[in-house]
Amino acid sequence: MAPIYNEEIVIDKLHNPDTMREAFGQVVEHYGERIYWQIRKMVVSHEDADDLLQNTFLKAWNNIDLFRGEAKLSTWLYRIAVNETITFLNKERQRNNISIDSDDCFLLNNIESDPWFDGDELQLRLQKAIATLPEKQRLVFNMRYFDEMKYEEISEVLGTSVGALKASYHHAAKKVEEYLLSHN
Amino acid sequence: MKENRKILDEIGGKSGFTVPEDYFKNLSTRITEQLPEREAPKIEIVTPWQRLRPYIYMAAMFAGIWLMVQVFVAPAVEAEQELTAAAEQEEELDEYMLYSMDEYTVFETFYADNE
């Protein structure tokens, strides 16, 4: 049975060379799945999400001395994951000759044959709708709609005010709904 | 708008994405196995001298300033005070002489000085 996760104890252990590896394992155990889904919803492919998840935790491991506990550990990890994801998407856009103003529908090119997507027709349409959103709106929409994160928490991760996030989510949800209705 | 919300509610926050079997079960082990070894953080030992050095330097600086004031500024001020005191004493003596003499003696003294 996995030990009960206590963030304060884990953070203390992370700063002790003798216990940091064990504590980091607990961090991965505790936050790995959440971070994975956050990345996956942005990059669509499981393989890419898996790579980015490993990079995220590797960066966190290498920079653990910089984590001083001012923010929550989850917020810090989410920030690293968001940065990794954005860097990856920029590279993918460049590789596919996609302009920065275009949508990210190219990510869904192979979704119907993806063995790790078993969504119905409506879920597929939802993914296509989400791919039409600008990157930041997509992040906000995913965090709010799928992960049900609080605006305050999203604000800490993305460094945007709660008011702006609410407006961003409202616009994103409206666009998604319009897409879903018009592509019925 | 309500009809639209109904669509998102109908989907219920399900993305349709899946992962290989036991993916999350092995995640922690798989990731931590790939982590490189880390060097123990370097702890800098601060000696008492290093800790006190800035305060001692500051004290030495103030002592230097005080010494310079004592050597260059204080004697000049003292000499000026002595001169002032002497001048004040001379004026007081003149005033005393004027008040203590009668008019005749005063004129006599003036005439004597003029001659």
Side-chain angles (χ1 to χ4, degrees):
Chain A
M1 200 178 130
I4 295 166
Y5 183 84
N6 181 319
E7 185 122 330
E8 271 180 44
I9 295 173
V10 168
I11 290 171
D12 276 348
K13 283 183 173 177
L14 282 173
H15 290 108
N16 180 345
D18 298 330
T19 53
M20 65 192 309
R21 188 174 275 271
E22 177 218 328
F24 198 79
Q26 284 183 43
V27 172
V28 178
E29 185 85 44
H30 193 72
Y31 291 113
E33 189 169 343
R34 265 188 273 175
I35 304 284
Y36 168 84
W37 284 120
Q38 200 232 312
I39 298 170
R40 175 77 188 272
K41 280 163 205 148
M42 287 300 287
V43 301
V44 178
S45 146
H46 164 71
E47 284 72 24
D48 292 336
D50 186 49
D51 284 347
L52 290 170
L53 183 70
Q54 287 186 42
N55 290 348
T56 299
F57 280 115
L58 185 64
K59 280 223 166 130
W61 173 254
N62 288 333
N63 294 291
I64 202 76
D65 296 335
L66 301 177
F67 178 74
R68 295 270 167 235
E70 287 98 352
K72 282 197 276 181
L73 195 51
S74 58
T75 307
W76 187 63
L77 290 170
Y78 266 115
R79 269 189 220 150
I80 300 173
V82 166
N83 287 339
E84 284 293 303
T85 306
I86 289 172
T87 308
F88 169 82
L89 289 174
N90 286 338
K91 280 182 190 163
E92 281 299 290
R93 283 185 206 114
Q94 250 179 357
R95 202 167 63 85
N96 290 281
N97 292 322
I98 308 285
S99 101
I100 200 149
D101 301 320
S102 302
D103 60 37
D104 284 341
C105 287
F106 73 95
L107 294 168
L108 299 168
N109 284 346
N110 303 316
I111 193 167
E112 276 153 279
S113 58
D114 189 336
W116 310 120
F117 181 80
D118 70 353
D120 55 24
E121 184 270 332
L122 194 54
Q123 285 165 336
L124 179 62
R125 258 197 294 147
L126 174 65
Q127 289 307 324
K128 286 179 178 170
I130 294 169
T132 62
L133 298 174
E135 192 174 80
K136 185 85 180 271
Q137 272 187 20
R138 201 142 48 97
L139 276 166
V140 176
F141 184 83
N142 286 340
M143 286 178 176
R144 185 73 189 145
Y145 178 70
F146 291 114
D147 303 340
E148 294 181 337
M149 280 171 73
K150 288 178 184 164
Y151 282 115
E152 287 75 17
E153 205 179 339
I154 304 174
S155 166
E156 282 174 23
V157 174
L158 300 179
T160 311
S161 71
V162 170
L165 287 173
K166 282 181 181 173
S168 185
Y169 179 74
H170 174 77
H171 286 303
K174 203 174 162 197
K175 278 188 214 167
V176 169
E177 288 157 359
E178 280 169 4
Y179 184 98
L180 290 172
L181 281 179
S182 62
H183 291 74
N184 198 349
Chain B
M1 188 59 128
K2 274 202 168 172
E3 193 194 343
N4 301 351
R5 288 282 179 208
K6 223 173 143 187
I7 295 177
L8 283 175
D9 290 346
E10 194 185 320
I11 298 167
K14 287 176 188 142
S15 64
F17 293 126
T18 59
V19 290
E21 210 181 329
D22 289 340
Y23 174 73
F24 291 119
K25 207 174 160 186
N26 305 323
L27 189 66
S28 174
T29 318
R30 204 159 46 82
I31 287 179
T32 46
E33 272 173 3
Q34 287 172 7
L35 297 175
E37 284 299 322
R38 277 179 61 99
E39 283 177 23
K42 285 174 192 164
I43 301 163
E44 280 182 30
I45 300 163
V46 182
T47 60
W49 163 245
Q50 280 173 322
R51 210 175 313 132
L52 290 173
R53 194 165 52 189
Y55 302 106
I56 290 170
Y57 284 176
M58 203 181 287
M61 192 181 75
F62 282 119
I65 292 169
W66 180 80
L67 202 65
M68 280 164 73
V69 167
Q70 292 303 311
V71 171
F72 299 110
V73 182
V77 171
E78 210 173 298
E80 199 176 315
Q81 279 173 343
E82 274 172 19
L83 280 172
T84 314
E88 275 173 5
Q89 266 182 349
E90 206 169 307
E91 275 171 26
E92 275 173 21
L93 190 68
D94 285 349
E95 273 176 29
Y96 171 77
M97 292 287 282
L98 277 172
Y99 283 110
S100 60
M101 282 190 272
D102 55 33
E103 263 181 43
Y104 178 78
T105 318
V106 171
F107 286 123
E108 207 177 33
T109 309
F110 279 133
Y111 285 125
D113 285 345
N114 286 336
E115 280 172 14

